[in-house]
């Protein structure tokens, strides 16, 4: 039965569709639509934009390059920093009609541990997603590219909170199964993949990188086959749940991600094109269910 409730992290989610971190601003949506949003909230759990200990302005513009089948972003993790996140955003997130997964990143183990520790007891939070795989900042992908680093960082954080930990993996590893296993053995409760593929756009006016950050991360329908291959490989290797994402833009894509072994499906880039995409994708997923029943 596709699109039904899912038990994960000791909670029962209404369905398997969640957002990719940084692709849907639930707080802005709630400011605009108020309580109307609650009845049509598109995700079964909400994953926040990645936060870091200190505030960050993000990368210089331009930050986006559009492709026929996706885009390259060089956002660079802009965020208000942990202290303001706790003061301003956590109470607002608690009003959402879906459990909260907080995405965290650190430029050292100590930074990440401090963030997880400060948030580790907060009842508003269901789980942490550990962003080991951002290609847009200098050290962003170091942990996610190495099983040893992934294991060391996960076990450091495992000691700092009882809450479930989700390791977000990079598609740039040739052996994502080894990275996922390292995360599992070090105490991660789930893995999510894929983050964006490292990419580059050249300035059409005469060479050099177009994006302010130099390179960027590619996402959208073009990366979906890569995501499916990696989700499938990882799901065969680990016992913990896999949150599969990468180019999902319709119900059939979501079903393929579940068939590849994912427990939850993340919708990312499609949210920029259609902020109601999560709701549509879930409805399409359930319709596919119906049509396969009718075919029997
Ligand atoms: C960004 O803010 O650079 C995107 C987040 C990510 O790639 O992890």
């Amino acid at each position: 039965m596709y699109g039904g409730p899912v038990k994960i992290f000791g909670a029962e989610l209404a369905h398997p569709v969640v957002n990719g971190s940084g692709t849907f601003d639930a707080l802005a949506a709630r400011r605009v639509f108020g309580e109307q949003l609650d009845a049509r909230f598109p995700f079964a759990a909400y994953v926040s934009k990645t936060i870091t200990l200190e505030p960050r302005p993000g990368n210089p513009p331009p930050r986006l390059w559009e492709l026929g089948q996706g885009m390259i972003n060089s956002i660079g993790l802009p965020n208000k920093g942990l202290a303001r996140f706790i003061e301003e955003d956590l109470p607002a997130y608690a009003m959402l009609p879906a459990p909260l997964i907080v995405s965290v990143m650190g430029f050292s183990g100590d930074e990440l541990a401090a963030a997880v520790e400060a948030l580790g007891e907060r009842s508003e939070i269901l789980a942490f997603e550990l962003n080991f795989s951002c290609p847009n900042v200098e050290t962003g992908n170091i942990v996610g590219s190495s099983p040893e680093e992934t294991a060391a960082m996960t076990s450091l954080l495992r000691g700092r909170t009882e809450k479930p930990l989700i390791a977000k993996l990079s598609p740039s590893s040739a052996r994502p199964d080894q990275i996922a296993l390292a995360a599992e053995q070090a105490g991660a409760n789930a893995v999510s993949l894929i983050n964006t593929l490292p990419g580059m756009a050249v300035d059409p006016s005469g060479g050099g990188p177009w994006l302010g950050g130099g390179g960027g991360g590619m996402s959208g329908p073009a990366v979906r086959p890569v995501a499916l291959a990696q989700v499938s490989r990882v799901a065969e290797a680990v016992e913990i749940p896999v949150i599969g994402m990468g180019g999902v833009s319709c119900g059939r894509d979501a079903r393929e991600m579940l068939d590849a072994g994912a427990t939850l499906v993340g919708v990312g880039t499609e949210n920029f094109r259609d902020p109601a995409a999560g709701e549509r994708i879930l409805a399409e997923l359930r319709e596919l269910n119906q049509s396969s029943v009718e075919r029997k």
Side-chain angles (χ1 to χ4, degrees):
M1 170 81 182
Y2 296 100
V6 181
K7 286 200 169 83
I8 190 166
F9 307 143
E12 181 168 285
L13 304 187
H15 57 79
V17 180
V18 300
N19 64 301
S21 169
T23 63
F24 182 89
D25 187 340
L27 298 187
R30 202 157 198 286
R31 275 195 297 276
V32 174
F33 296 107
E35 287 175 8
Q36 280 177 359
L37 179 71
D38 296 357
R40 294 187 54 190
F41 195 73
F43 304 111
Y46 178 74
V47 186
S48 75
K49 172 73 184 163
T50 301
I51 56 154
T52 52
L53 195 57
E54 300 300 333
R56 287 181 53 79
N59 286 342
R63 289 176 168 182
L64 279 188
W65 178 264
E66 284 186 63
L67 303 164
Q69 283 287 307
M71 63 181 209
I72 305 175
N73 89 77
S74 170
I75 305 294
L77 303 176
N79 74 96
K80 54 177 66 172
L82 180 69
R84 284 184 56 206
F85 175 84
I86 291 175
E87 198 187 313
E88 297 166 15
D89 290 359
L90 259 190
Y93 280 130
M95 309 293 283
L96 296 179
L100 175 66
I101 296 173
V102 175
S103 171
V104 285
M105 193 269 177
F107 293 89
S108 68
D110 285 348
E111 256 190 55
L112 197 40
V116 165
E117 211 162 44
L119 293 167
E121 304 281 309
R122 297 295 297 236
S123 60
E124 301 93 331
I125 301 173
L126 174 67
F128 293 106
E129 182 173 78
L130 311 172
N131 188 350
F132 290 160
S133 48
C134 174
N136 296 336
V137 292
E138 214 176 308
T139 58
N141 210 355
I142 292 176
V143 174
S145 306
S146 145
E148 294 77 22
E149 296 275 354
T150 296
M153 193 66 92
T154 306
S155 91
L156 172 71
L157 301 171
R158 182 68 293 160
R160 307 300 174 101
T161 178
E162 306 263 293
K163 289 200 191 284
L165 299 175
I166 306 162
K168 184 154 187 185
L169 308 183
S170 166
S172 25
S173 162
R175 294 300 307 267
D177 49 335
Q178 287 185 352
I179 312 253
L181 267 174
E184 179 176 44
Q185 285 160 6
N189 304 84
V191 290
S192 57
L193 69 154
I194 58 173
N195 205 326
T196 54
L197 275 164
M200 180 185 168
V202 175
D203 186 341
S205 71
W210 164 260
L211 293 163
M218 183 179 157
S219 62
V223 309
R224 201 168 64 81
V226 177
L228 280 171
Q230 298 217 352
V231 165
S232 162
R233 189 164 189 176
V234 165
E236 273 178 26
V238 297
E239 302 285 329
I240 52 179
V242 174
I243 304 174
M245 66 194 84
V248 171
S249 58
C250 65
R252 188 167 293 276
D253 297 347
R255 189 170 82 173
E256 287 184 7
M257 205 52 95
L258 295 170
D259 287 343
T263 299
L264 300 178
V265 182
V267 176
T269 302
E270 185 66 4
N271 293 320
F272 295 121
R273 205 186 61 74
D274 171 11
E279 193 184 30
R280 172 179 56 76
I281 289 169
L282 176 64
E284 290 170 356
L285 179 65
R286 287 177 172 160
E287 261 168 46
L288 284 171
N289 220 357
Q290 191 58 31
S291 53
S292 49
V293 171
E294 279 163 10
R295 264 204 302 277
K296 280 184 191 155

